[in-house]
Amino acid sequence: MKKMRMRMKGIKEKLCYALAIGVSVFVLFFVIIISWCGYEIKNQCWSAQSEYGGDCVESLIKRLDDANKGFRARNDAIGVLGMLGDSRALPALKSYYTGHIPEREPLDQSLSQYELRKAIDLTSGGTHFIAWVMRAGLGGNKQQQRAVNAEMVVVSQQDDPYYSLAQTIAREENLRVVEEFTDVLPLTPMYIILVASPDNLTAERLAEIGYVLKNQDYYPALGIISGSTLQKAEQLWERRSLAGKGNHYVAGDVEILQSIYEPTIFNITDGETGKIELTRENLIEALQQADYFYWTRHTGPKDWSWNEEYGNWTENDQLLADDIPDLKPVVIYSLTCSSFRPWVENAIALGFVDQGAVAYLGFVNTPHYATVVKQGLSVPGITSWSEFPLGIVAQVHNKVTANIVFRSPQLFMLGDPRIYLSAEQPYRITSDTQKENGARTLEGKSDEKGVLAVKLENGSAYDFLSIKGLTSVSEGDIFYNNKLQTLNLGSDKYVLFLHDGGSFEIQLIEHVPLGWIVTDAVIDAFDFSWVALWLSTYADSNPHLLLLSLPVLIGILLVKLLKEKRSLKPYARVFVVALSIALLHLAYFLLRSDSYTVSDNLESHTTLQIALGTLGIFACVAGGLMIMKDAKKRRGKALGLIFTVLRQFWLTGFNLVFITILNVVTPVTRNTETWLLSYDAFWLSLIPLVVEGAVIFALYRYVILRDRIAEPIS
C-alpha cells in the first residue's frame, strides 16, 4: 500500500510538472503572438497616419478607400480596423462587402470578402479573445479625443410614421437628417435627435444604438422625440425650452441602504428636505407640482410601484400610465428597472411625456444603482445648464457603465438632449493654472449641494482627474466611481461629482500616474467587500455567516477542552493571527468608511454591529486555522482555509451565480438580451478573497507551523 501511494505520488508530481510546462509554453506563445499582433497594428497605424493624417481609424479608412493602393495594403487595413473594433469604420467596410465569400481569395488580387465579414462583425459589437486583448493593450477604456464636426444631427427613417416631424425639426434648426445611426459616426456631432414612432423604438434598435456608441467610444448627447401619437411627439418637441428650476422631488419605496425605511416622497426644493407619505394620491399631487422628479424604485415597463417587498402591496401602491395627471414641463429621472420601453403598450415612459413632461430618462433593462453619481437625496440633473445639459449628464453615466458594467449603454432619454434646469452656470472658476510638468489646476466655487455638473474646456487631453478631498479617476479605471465621473466630448471634459457647497479644486494630469490603475482597482475591491458590504443585511453579503462562525468556534473549543482534554496553549499563535486579521479588517473599515467610491450605500452601523462583525471575522479565522492545524489530509486543510474566508467565499460565489442567472434566465429577469451584465461585482469580491486566502495560508505556513515539524499528509 505504501509503495502504491509513493508511485501515485510520483505520477501526480510528473503530471503537475507536465501541466506546468504546458501552461508555460502556452503563455509564452500567447505573449509572442500578442506582442507580434500589437507591433503589426501599431506599425499599420503609424504608416497610415503618416500618409493620410488623422487618428488611426480615420487614416486606415482612407487607406482602404485609396484605389491607388495595392489590394494587399488595403486588406491589411481591413484586418486592423476589425481588431480595433471602432464602428466608425463600419460604413466603409459595408460598402465593399458583397455578401459572397469565394472559396479562394488571393489577398493581392482583390479585397477579401472573408476579412470584410470578420471586420464588420467586430465593428458591429462582436469580439474574440485576441481582439479583446489587443483593444485593452492599445488603450483600455480611454476615450479618443475627437473634434466635433457637427453641432447636432437628426436621425429618422423615411418609412417611419414620424418622419415628417424629423423633417420639420431639421428645417427649423437647419440640420441634416440621416436614416441610420451608423451614418452619424463620421459627423461626430455633439447632439443627436432620434425621431421615431414607439413601434420603431424596439429593444433591438435601442441595443444597436448602444453598441454603436460603445464601439466608437464616443457618447454624444442623445434625445429621442416620440409619443403615443404624432401629435404628442410634436408637442414634446415644442416644449423643449420650457424646463427650468422650481420644485424638486425624490421619491420611491423603502431603501434600507439609503436609510429610507418607509415609502416616502422628499421635497428637496432649495436644499430643504420635507417628507411626505408615499401614496398614490400624494404622488399624483407631487408630480403635478414638480419641475424635477427623481424616482428611486420600483418600476416596470408600465408602472411605478412601492410596498412590493413587504407583503402589503395593493393596487393603490401603483402608478400606471393612465393615472398620470396633466403635468408641468417636468423632468422625470427614473434610473430603475426596465422603465424605458416605449414599444410596450401603455408604457410608463410615454405616459409621462404624453401628459406634459419635457423629458423622461430611464433604463431599458436592469440598472446598476451603485454606478450612478448619487448619494442619499443628492441626485443628478438638477445642476444641468446650457453647456452641460441633461443629454450629456445621461451620457456621462452611459460611458462609465458601458465600459465597466453593461455590454452597451442602457440609459435613454425622451426629449431634446439640450434641455437643462439651471438658467445660469451653477459654479464659477476662480483660477486656472498650468504647471511646468503639464498638470493643470482649477479652483472654483459653487453654492450648490449635490451632484455638480462642471465643464472643463480643453480638458479631454488629460487622462487623470482628481478633486481635492473627494476622489480621483482616470480614463482607464477598471471599476466605477460613484462620486466622480467624466466624459470627453470634442476637446472638452464633462465632470459630475458630489459637492457639499463652497470651494472645490480640480487637478488634471496628462498621463495616468504609474501604478494607479492596479492600486485603485485593489482599493475598490477591498472597499466593496470590507466596507460597503461588510455589515450589510442583504443576501449578497450575508454577514450572518460571520455570526454563525461564533458557535462553530465555541464548539471547536469545547471539543478540544472537554472531549479531547487538550490544552489551548498550542493554538496561541492561531488566536494571535486571527485577532490581528480581525483588527486589520476593523481598522480598514474605520479608515475607509467615508471614502469608498464603489457603492452609494450610506453606512450607519451601530457600535454593537461593528463589534459583532469584528468578532465574527476573528471566529472565522481562528476556527478555520484550528481546523487546518489539526487536519491530517489536504481536504481537511482546504475546508479549514475556506472557513477562514467563509463570508468572502460566499460573497464571491453569490455574485458569480447571481450575475450568471441575470444574464441567462431572461424569462425571469425580463431583460431584453442575454449576457447583458459584466462580472464587475464578482471581480470586486474575488480580489479580496484571493488576497485573504493567500495571506492566511502564508501565515499558517510560516507563523503557525514555524516551530513544528509538519505532519505527513496522506
Side-chain angles (χ1 to χ4, degrees):
M1 182 63 74
K2 185 175 181 181
K3 289 183 178 180
M4 180 64 71
R5 285 202 300 266
M6 293 297 293
R7 187 179 301 169
M8 291 300 298
K9 183 177 180 181
I11 293 173
K12 288 180 181 179
E13 288 179 352
K14 290 177 181 178
L15 288 174
C16 289
Y17 288 135
L19 180 62
I21 293 171
V23 171
S24 300
V25 171
F26 173 79
V27 171
L28 177 62
F29 275 103
F30 180 76
V31 170
I32 291 173
I33 291 171
I34 292 298
S35 300
W36 179 79
C37 288
Y39 172 78
E40 283 296 312
I41 289 176
K42 290 181 179 179
N43 189 49
Q44 288 282 341
C45 286
W46 291 332
S47 172
Q49 286 176 288
S50 62
E51 186 173 1
Y52 299 99
D55 65 25
C56 181
V57 174
E58 293 168 345
S59 60
L60 287 169
I61 293 173
K62 291 177 182 178
R63 175 168 285 180
L64 172 60
D65 290 336
D66 190 347
N68 295 321
K69 281 289 179 184
F71 287 113
R72 174 76 64 172
R74 297 170 73 187
N75 280 319
D76 288 343
I78 292 170
V80 175
L81 286 170
M83 291 294 242
L84 293 173
D86 194 312
S87 55
R88 285 180 294 164
L90 197 56
L93 293 168
K94 284 184 174 180
S95 69
Y96 293 105
Y97 183 58
T98 64
H100 173 68
I101 301 176
E103 291 185 6
R104 299 187 64 182
E105 292 184 299
L107 295 180
D108 55 357
Q109 296 180 17
S110 65
L111 291 179
S112 171
Q113 296 301 304
Y114 174 72
E115 291 297 329
L116 281 166
R117 177 70 265 172
K118 282 201 308 181
I120 289 170
D121 288 342
L122 290 169
T123 52
S124 299
T127 190
H128 57 71
F129 187 65
I130 299 293
W132 179 81
V133 172
M134 291 311 308
R135 292 173 198 172
L138 291 169
N141 295 335
K142 177 183 175 181
Q143 284 186 283
Q144 297 181 27
Q145 183 177 344
R146 299 174 187 168
V148 173
N149 296 318
E151 181 68 14
M152 187 159 69
V153 177
V154 179
V155 180
S156 187
Q157 296 174 333
Q158 290 190 29
D159 59 354
D160 191 289
Y162 293 4
Y163 184 71
S164 60
L165 175 57
Q167 291 179 306
T168 300
I169 293 172
R171 186 168 53 252
E172 289 178 356
E173 302 274 338
N174 193 25
L175 301 173
R176 179 176 174 179
V177 181
V178 298
E179 280 207 71
E180 299 297 335
F181 210 81
T182 51
D183 297 334
V184 177
L185 305 181
L187 305 176
T188 55
M190 177 71 71
Y191 302 101
I192 300 173
I193 290 182
L194 172 63
V195 181
S197 66
D199 290 340
N200 285 331
L201 292 172
T202 61
E204 293 76 18
R205 190 177 189 191
L206 294 179
E208 180 183 353
I209 290 171
Y211 288 129
V212 169
L213 294 173
K214 180 173 181 176
N215 291 337
Q216 69 172 342
D217 198 23
Y218 185 72
Y219 294 86
L222 169 64
I224 300 173
I225 304 299
S226 189
S228 59
T229 66
L230 176 58
Q231 183 182 17
K232 293 292 186 181
E234 291 170 342
Q235 292 171 353
L236 174 61
W237 171 250
E238 291 167 0
R239 290 194 297 272
R240 65 191 183 278
S241 62
L242 300 180
K245 275 199 170 183
N247 299 317
H248 303 155
Y249 293 87
V250 175
D253 205 351
V254 172
E255 282 193 284
I256 293 175
L257 298 179
Q258 294 293 313
S259 299
I260 298 173
Y261 301 103
E262 58 185 4
T264 307
I265 302 170
F266 295 93
N267 185 339
I268 59 170
T269 305
D270 297 327
E272 300 297 325
T273 306
K275 294 178 64 175
I276 307 167
E277 180 186 0
L278 176 54
T279 65
R280 181 193 288 180
E281 181 181 348
N282 289 344
L283 177 58
I284 289 173
E285 183 179 350
L287 285 169
Q288 289 177 308
Q289 298 173 359
D291 295 281
Y292 172 95
F293 200 100
Y294 189 102
W295 179 259
T296 60
R297 59 202 301 248
H298 301 276
T299 60
K302 299 182 178 183
D303 69 313
W304 285 3
S305 57
W306 54 98
N307 276 329
E308 289 188 1
E309 297 179 2
Y310 300 93
N312 56 345
W313 182 85
T314 69
E315 291 184 358
N316 291 323
D317 300 320
Q318 184 181 46
L319 182 78
L320 301 174
D322 290 341
D323 300 324
I324 300 172
D326 290 335
L327 303 170
K328 298 165 65 176
V330 58
V331 170
I332 304 292
Y333 223 108
S334 182
L335 303 189
T336 48
C337 294
S338 311
S339 74
F340 195 96
R341 295 191 178 180
W343 66 88
V344 174
E345 186 178 0
N346 297 321
I348 191 75
L350 285 182
F352 275 104
V353 296
D354 281 356
Q355 292 303 108
V358 72
Y360 185 96
L361 294 91
F363 272 91
V364 176
N365 288 296
T366 302
H368 194 307
Y369 297 112
T371 61
V372 181
V373 182
K374 170 188 176 294
Q375 194 168 71
L377 300 180
S378 297
V379 290
I382 294 176
T383 62
S384 57
W385 53 290
S386 60
E387 295 185 34
F388 200 147
L390 283 168
I392 295 181
V393 172
Q395 293 296 59
V396 173
H397 180 78
N398 271 334
K399 188 265 285 190
V400 172
T401 55
N403 281 337
I404 298 172
V405 178
F406 299 117
R407 285 177 61 195
S408 64
Q410 294 297 307
L411 176 59
F412 288 89
M413 174 181 178
L414 285 170
D416 190 326
R418 299 168 297 179
I419 289 170
Y420 56 89
L421 294 176
S422 181
E424 300 177 350
Q425 179 176 302
Y427 63 92
R428 61 188 181 92
I429 299 297
T430 57
S431 70
D432 186 349
T433 58
Q434 189 93 22
K435 297 182 180 179
E436 292 183 0
N437 62 0
R440 180 179 166 194
T441 301
L442 299 94
E443 295 180 353
K445 292 183 178 181
S446 175
D447 294 330
E448 296 285 350
K449 293 184 178 181
V451 181
L452 189 61
V454 175
K455 175 186 175 183
L456 302 179
E457 295 184 0
N458 300 315
S460 64
Y462 299 89
D463 293 343
F464 187 81
L465 184 148
S466 180
I467 297 183
K468 186 176 181 180
L470 183 65
T471 186
S472 304
V473 295
S474 79
E475 294 298 332
D477 283 354
I478 296 173
F479 299 120
Y480 51 86
N481 186 316
N482 89 307
K483 291 184 178 179
L484 168 62
Q485 294 176 5
T486 67
L487 172 70
N488 293 337
L489 270 181
S491 61
D492 302 322
K493 188 182 291 287
Y494 295 82
V495 184
L496 292 178
F497 64 95
L498 293 175
H499 183 56
D500 290 331
S503 301
F504 60 86
E505 181 181 311
I506 300 174
Q507 185 178 47
L508 296 166
I509 301 175
E510 289 185 11
H511 303 293
V512 180
L514 183 64
W516 164 263
I517 301 295
V518 174
T519 302
D520 179 63
V522 172
I523 292 174
D524 283 344
F526 277 93
D527 285 351
F528 180 80
S529 298
W530 283 25
V531 182
L533 293 182
W534 179 34
L535 300 174
S536 168
T537 56
Y538 274 29
D540 53 357
S541 55
N542 201 349
H544 302 300
L545 289 174
L546 295 177
L547 298 180
L548 289 174
S549 64
L550 291 173
V552 173
L553 176 61
I554 293 171
I556 293 173
L557 294 174
L558 290 176
V559 169
K560 301 298 180 188
L561 290 170
L562 301 180
K563 185 176 181 180
E564 299 179 2
K565 307 296 184 181
R566 294 172 62 178
S567 170
L568 296 181
K569 186 175 180 180
Y571 301 100
R573 289 179 181 172
V574 167
F575 300 137
V576 170
V577 168
L579 180 61
S580 300
I581 291 176
L583 292 177
L584 176 64
H585 198 131
L586 174 62
Y588 189 91
F589 174 82
L590 296 175
L591 180 67
R592 297 288 300 171
S593 58
D594 293 324
S595 304
Y596 59 89
T597 61
V598 288
S599 174
D600 63 345
N601 295 355
L602 298 177
E603 297 300 325
S604 57
H605 302 296
T606 65
T607 303
L608 177 60
Q609 288 174 319
I610 296 172
L612 288 175
T614 306
L615 187 59
I617 294 292
F618 171 82
C620 272
V621 178
L625 287 175
M626 291 180 75
I627 294 172
M628 292 176 70
K629 182 178 175 65
D630 292 339
K632 304 297 183 182
K633 296 183 179 181
R634 283 195 176 94
R635 67 172 67 97
K637 294 184 182 296
L639 181 63
L641 183 60
I642 290 173
F643 191 79
T644 64
V645 293
L646 182 61
R647 182 245 175 214
Q648 196 64 33
F649 186 82
W650 161 267
L651 179 60
T652 305
F654 177 90
N655 284 325
L656 177 62
V657 173
F658 183 67
I659 295 171
T660 302
I661 291 174
L662 288 177
N663 280 330
V664 175
V665 191
T666 53
V668 175
T669 63
R670 299 180 183 177
N671 286 336
T672 58
E673 54 184 311
T674 57
W675 300 110
L676 176 69
L677 291 162
S678 73
Y679 282 82
D680 62 297
F682 167 71
W683 296 114
L684 283 166
S685 50
L686 179 64
I687 291 171
L689 174 63
V690 172
V691 173
E692 286 182 43
V695 169
I696 290 173
F697 183 79
L699 290 171
Y700 164 76
R701 181 68 180 83
Y702 297 107
V703 175
I704 294 172
L705 300 184
R706 187 178 63 182
D707 296 331
R708 172 189 166 192
I709 299 175
E711 298 178 10
I713 300 173
S714 55

